[in-house]
DNA sequence: TTGTAAGCGTTATCAG
DNA sequence: CTGATAACGCTTACAA
């Protein structure tokens, strides 16, 4: 594999050249560029000199000297997961508006990668980090930068974090399915993340409260293994009449397996889950889901990070956001589903 | 932060501290860290000292002094477009494996934003840039870094670039639809990007060759306006019997409008387009699309960038990649579609 | 307000 | 191979 070696030599124009062209000192140029009050005449001379010389400040030098990097690390599991894509985009927009740079990293749920990236953040001397911790309950060593967790918490550790109200959202999903007449519901949850655990708890509590038969299953993160587990659940004789999937990616895995088995939604089995993607209204009669407030999650994370930076000694805060139940065709009652199919003839 | 004293101990440990702890000079520490040959005994001493002191090199200082940033700028229209998400992920993975950092920017098709980000890249002294140019035919001023274009070219400018064979892929789509018995095909293309233009050309050429009535439409980038244009095309009495959409985002816009009008795919109208997303096999009987080799696009862009950096004087190259036609239910012949619906009763 | 000068933490140079 | 020393390009005391 060819390694990138070369380096382009930039225009050699530095702050001293601008100073000379403007007939002022480098310090004055620096002041103009940083907005410090400067005599208007000099200011104009400097700006003109910047223009004519084509000067571009060297951000590496600036960061080294000023000791602030204006950089935020954003570490997620996989940017291809639409939930993280959306949250990242919001965070990048906010950051850019504040003159901050983002370093984006994908852990693929691998604790080793997460560790490596956190190390990288230290070397970058980042202002702060927004982290969706990899599915792992291990303790994180304390870091030298403010950190805000998104999507997932780390049990027993005190970090600022912003998460969904997973328990009550899962509860709402079960309640909805029961209302629609479903009685044998299977829940599919990530085994390792705290978020998966919370959703399972909400799922089981609601089922118990409503007195229905609900079984929850731990689904591995790897796609192949997940399909296998799903097959076991769906192919048996005692197939559930409804499925709850713990997130959007899993929802897709379920759709894939249902297709393999030739099962139809909602005719043969109802389906509901977490995360609302733009395509979900178009599969079948639409997928019933809990929509996460992705924009608000991103905004809140950025705000919390800023406050943590400003007040390092404040106690850690946990912000729990509500989602929104979007009811679509995939959770229709079996009777209603039959009706709809009859009508469509 | 040291949790006892509240002092930031981390920032204080520099290469000199490591040198002192190891009983060597700072230069030797630097050599060990950069892999330059060093006496094994000293090497071990340094590595141990790095460990005990918890030393983290300061990347800003390293970049300033060494004059290479190991950073690549990646500028796309919108990371939420799954095509860019996928390409970005591939590029980030390759970059990380080579010890390179990525700076990701979204232009939202705004030339001003593109301009601003290109300026930022100069201030970051990036090693190179991978750019999906905003839909705009304007000339770009020459920059001080190697640049590789993806997805779109800039007519009349000499840049390395890697693009899809848009003309023949659009041609293949039309050919397929005609084969399936469709005769009145409407093509929807982005008006401003060169990619949209090329796809339109392939579309029109194929239609002319095959002697069918095909009309191409320029669809604005903004979602609301796009819907309006679509409405005009689909709601009239002379509704086409098939639609070709120029990309995945537009495909979704079409689905939305079809839903509003209560038109069914492929019963009332056939549908095909560009970009293959993971959900597309699940809407209706699946969406017929041209799949772009996203992974290869990313890999090729990185490779070309590396080669451009190594050989700045080489002539610019254009790599044209083939896509793959994935035939699914949305392009079924009207008769076949009727059959399928009959069977499903 | 402005200029002078001293670093920020690292790597490159060059002499030993 | 190793160590002293001088930058890299900028900001910021501190002095004027």
């Amino acid at each position: 594999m060819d390694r990138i070696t070369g380096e382009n030599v930039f225009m050699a124009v530095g702050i001293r050249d601008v100073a000379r062209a403007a007939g002022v000192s480098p310090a004055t140029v620096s002041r103009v560029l940083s907005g410090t009050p400067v005599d208007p005449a000099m200011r104009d001379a400097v700006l003109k000199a910047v223009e004519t010389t084509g000067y571009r400040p060297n951000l590496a030098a600036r960061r080294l000297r000023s000791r602030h990097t204006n950089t935020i690390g954003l570490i997620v599991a996989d940017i291809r997961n639409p939930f993280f894509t959306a949250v990242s985009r919001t965070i990048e927009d906010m950051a850019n508006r504040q003159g901050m740079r983002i370093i984006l990293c994908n852990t693929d749920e691998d604790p080793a990668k997460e560790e490596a990236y956190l190390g990288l953040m230290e070397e970058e001397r980042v202002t702060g980090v927004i982290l969706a911790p990899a599915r792992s309950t291990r303790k994180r060593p304390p870091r030298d930068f403010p950190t805000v967790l998104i999507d997932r918490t780390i049990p027993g550790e005190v970090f600022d974090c912003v998460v969904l109200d997973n328990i009550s959202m899962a509860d709402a999903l079960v309640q909805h399915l029961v209302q629609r007449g479903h009685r044998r519901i299977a829940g599919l949850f990530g085994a390792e993340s705290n978020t998966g655990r919370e959703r399972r708890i909400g799922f089981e509590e609601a089922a118990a409260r409503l007195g229905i038969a609900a079984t929850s299953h731990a689904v591995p993160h790897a796609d192949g293994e997940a399909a296998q587990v799903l097959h076991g659940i769906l192919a048996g004789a005692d197939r559930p009449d409804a499925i709850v999937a713990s997130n959007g990616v899993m929802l897709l895995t379920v759709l894939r397996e249902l297709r393999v088995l030739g099962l139809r939604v909602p005719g043969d089995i109802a389906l509901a889950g977490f995360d609302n993607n733009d395509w979900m209204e178009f599969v079948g009669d639409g997928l019933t889901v809990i929509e996460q407030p992705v924009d608000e999650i991103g905004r809140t994370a950025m705000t919390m990070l800023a406050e943590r930076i400003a007040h390092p000694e404040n106690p850690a805060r946990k912000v729990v956001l509500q989602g929104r139940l979007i009811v679509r065709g995939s959770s229709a009652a079996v009777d209603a589903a039959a009706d709809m199919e009859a009508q469509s003839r």
Side-chain angles (χ1 to χ4, degrees), chain A residues 172-183 185 241-245 251 255 258 264-273 280 283-290 325-338 340:
Chain A
L173 228 35
V174 172
Q175 216 174 303
H176 165 73
L177 286 169
V178 170
Q179 225 161 27
R180 288 280 178 107
H182 302 284
R183 290 295 174 268
I185 310 178
D241 54 18
I243 293 274
V244 168
L251 222 27
L255 285 173
L258 290 175
R264 320 186 83 202
V265 173
D268 298 317
I269 193 166
L271 181 58
M280 286 185 176
V283 346
D285 305 311
L287 262 33
T288 293
V289 291
I290 297 290
L325 174 66
I326 300 179
V327 175
R328 299 201 184 98
S330 71
S331 60
V334 181
D335 291 353
M340 288 182 70

Side-chain angles (χ1 to χ4, degrees), chain A residues 28 39 66 101 110 147-148 152 175 182 267 285-286:
Chain A
T28 300
D39 178 274
S66 72
R101 230 66 59 215
D110 179 350
T147 302
V148 172
R152 307 161 185 181
Q175 216 174 303
H182 302 284
D285 305 311

Side-chain angles (χ1 to χ4, degrees), chain A residues 102-255:
Chain A
I102 292 286
I103 301 179
L104 176 67
C105 307
N106 301 283
T107 65
D108 291 318
E109 308 286 2
D110 179 350
K113 278 194 189 178
E114 181 186 292
E115 193 60 27
Y117 284 132
L118 287 170
L120 171 66
M121 295 308 149
E122 296 193 323
E123 303 190 347
E124 293 277 6
R125 303 294 192 269
V126 293
T127 310
V129 163
I130 296 176
L131 166 70
R135 302 180 206 275
S136 157
T137 57
R138 81 183 189 294
K139 290 273 186 287
R140 267 74 170 174
R143 295 285 171 179
D144 298 299
F145 38 71
T147 302
V148 172
L149 268 30
I150 56 172
D151 187 48
R152 307 161 185 181
T153 58
I154 306 177
E157 302 234 3
V158 279
F159 280 111
D160 290 311
C161 63
V162 41
V163 292
L164 190 71
D165 187 346
N166 291 304
I167 293 185
S168 66
M169 291 300 106
D171 189 305
L173 228 35
V174 172
Q175 216 174 303
H176 165 73
L177 286 169
V178 170
Q179 225 161 27
R180 288 280 178 107
H182 302 284
R183 290 295 174 268
R184 288 167 37 252
I185 310 178
L188 311 173
F189 304 95
E192 292 165 87
S193 85
N194 203 49
T195 290
R197 256 190 305 279
E198 287 179 2
R199 291 178 186 175
R200 180 172 53 68
I201 290 170
F203 174 86
E204 289 171 353
E205 283 181 0
R209 193 183 66 240
L210 299 167
I212 62 139
T215 55
S216 42
H217 304 264
V219 178
H221 176 240
D223 236 35
E225 299 171 49
Q228 225 169 346
V229 170
L230 270 179
H231 192 93
I233 296 166
L234 296 171
D238 53 345
R239 177 174 23 113
D241 54 18
I243 293 274
V244 168
S246 186
N247 59 60
V249 175
M250 207 177 283
L251 222 27
L252 218 33
T253 310
V254 173
L255 285 173

Side-chain angles (χ1 to χ4, degrees), chain A residues 72 100 127-129 146 160 302-312:
Chain A
I72 289 171
M100 294 248 154
T127 310
V129 163
D160 290 311
M302 279 295 284
T303 306
M304 289 179 82
L305 187 56
E307 287 170 1
R308 169 64 46 206
I309 290 165
H311 309 288

